[in-house]
Amino acid sequence: MTEAEIRAAYLEELASIAPDIDTDTVSDDDHIQDDLELDSMDVLNLVTALHKRTGVDIPEKDYPQIATVALAVAYLTDAMK
Amino acid sequence: MPSLGADMEAATLVEWLVQPGDTVARGDVVAVVETQKGAIEIEVFENGTVHELVAQLGTELPVGAPLAVLLAEGEAPPAKAEPSVEPPPAKAAPAAERPPAEPHALEREAVKAPATAPAPPTVAPTSVPQSPNAASPAARVRAHELGLDLSTIRGSGPGGVIVLGDVDGAPSKSPQAAAKPGSPIEEMRKAIAAAMTRSKQTIPHFYLSQTIDVQPASDFLAKLNAGRPPAERILLGALFVRAAALAAAKVKTMNGHFTDGAFHAAKAVNPGVAVALRGGGLVAPALMDAVALDLDQTMAGMRDLVSRARAGRLKGSEMTQGTITISSLGDTSADVMTGVIFPPQVALVGLGSPQVRPWVLNDQVIPRSVVTLSISADHRVSDGRQVARFITEFETLLNEPESL
């Protein structure tokens, strides 16, 4: 997956978990909990969806590294190498 | 139309999932109705065959109105003139039509009665106003706040005077203006307001709280989840629900319903899990018979409830058969919550966000992850002693998370 594809996949899964979020307005540094108000169940669902899409088994200690679009793209790109 | 919540008065039928001739069994989902708390799936209470769908799609029906005619096995279809198959009134059922399980319905009617004093004579909106833009002071202030031009508002007060209600009902120019009357958010707030007002007016609440060391639970989960793919991981919230269900099974005065002037302890523990809805409001659908579930099943059940709550597909039984509510503030919120009991239940278990705090363990002060548990309980049913016992049970269970 390219960085652009990872970004698109992340935003798509975010929108499916929180349909009220307009992904066009999500900035690279918006925090999924502090800014987008995802709760722990939403975060787990996002991690589960990203695992399905990318094959990366994001361990709990790495959750902070997928907390924004920018962080997640970097983390997942690296993990998929 | 069943009652799907403490203060539900009516709901709109939006979908039939059965047709005449279909065989149905107790618990089958037969229809979907739109309530103040979103779309709810209606389950049938009896086994039988659908004879006739009485209610029309899109109709708002009061609680107690017939939706369909069901025939028991071997039962002959009723004659056409049978009163029960008459189309129900579209609106506002008399109090007598309410099911008897609603002990407060009559009280509420009584309270409402004086308010329905003789209606003021309706003034035709075309009647000539005393002066152009005559308006009450409150209406003027509100119109100013909303940026509205009084000349665009039609008055309904005496002589065509613009009153506050006219301004509030006027189409607003400002896009940031409050939600339109009848919007889902506004309806949700009304439903919450009705249930919580009734709770505070009828339930003598009292509260006990205790800060609990959840480090053993966190460590247990970290270890467990490290070996699991994301789809099988467990959240701390599931441990809380599991511990609360087991504690409620032991302290029976906190698990059940207060109806018809008396407490009825429930046989099963169906914890209502409070789910915040994105965009505002919350629902607390019940995780049915939670004691019989293991930790993985508890987590799966919670995941399912949360996703269906968000999608607006909860079942009627989940909305009404909760026996105790568990409300957890999640990872990044406040320390303590003092909750309002959801009637007709008699207790609410509140859990604050986990925080790392100095804690004394074996005479040493060390950083530990702690959570404040606070219980709201109904003094008609229990006293501090029982609630303290619940807290002790809960704490003991969380200290031995592998036992959950």
Side-chain angles (χ1 to χ4, degrees), chain A residues 17-21 33-34 36-42 44-45 47-48 51 56-60 63, chain B residues 221-222 225-226 228-235 275-276 278-279 299 302-303 306-307 310 330-332:
Chain A
I17 287 158
D20 57 306
I21 293 178
Q33 286 184 288
D34 300 341
L36 304 177
E37 299 184 344
L38 262 57
D39 65 17
S40 48
M41 187 73 86
D42 295 325
L44 180 55
N45 285 334
V47 167
T48 306
H51 176 228
V56 179
D57 171 48
I58 306 159
E60 280 188 327
Y63 287 2
Chain B
L221 283 185
N225 289 337
R228 291 179 167 215
E232 292 168 26
R233 289 180 194 158
I234 309 281
L235 293 173
V275 179
R278 295 191 58 84
M299 180 64 198
M302 288 170 66
R303 258 187 135 145
V306 171
S307 69
R310 298 261 162 88
D331 290 343
T332 51

Side-chain angles (χ1 to χ4, degrees), chain B residues 43 50 60 63 72 76 78 87 116 126 144 184 190 213 264-266 273 281 284 295:
Chain B
E43 298 143 292
V50 178
E60 191 186 38
V63 168
T116 51
T126 46
H144 181 71
K190 276 189 206 163
D213 177 9
H264 308 278
V273 180
L295 185 58

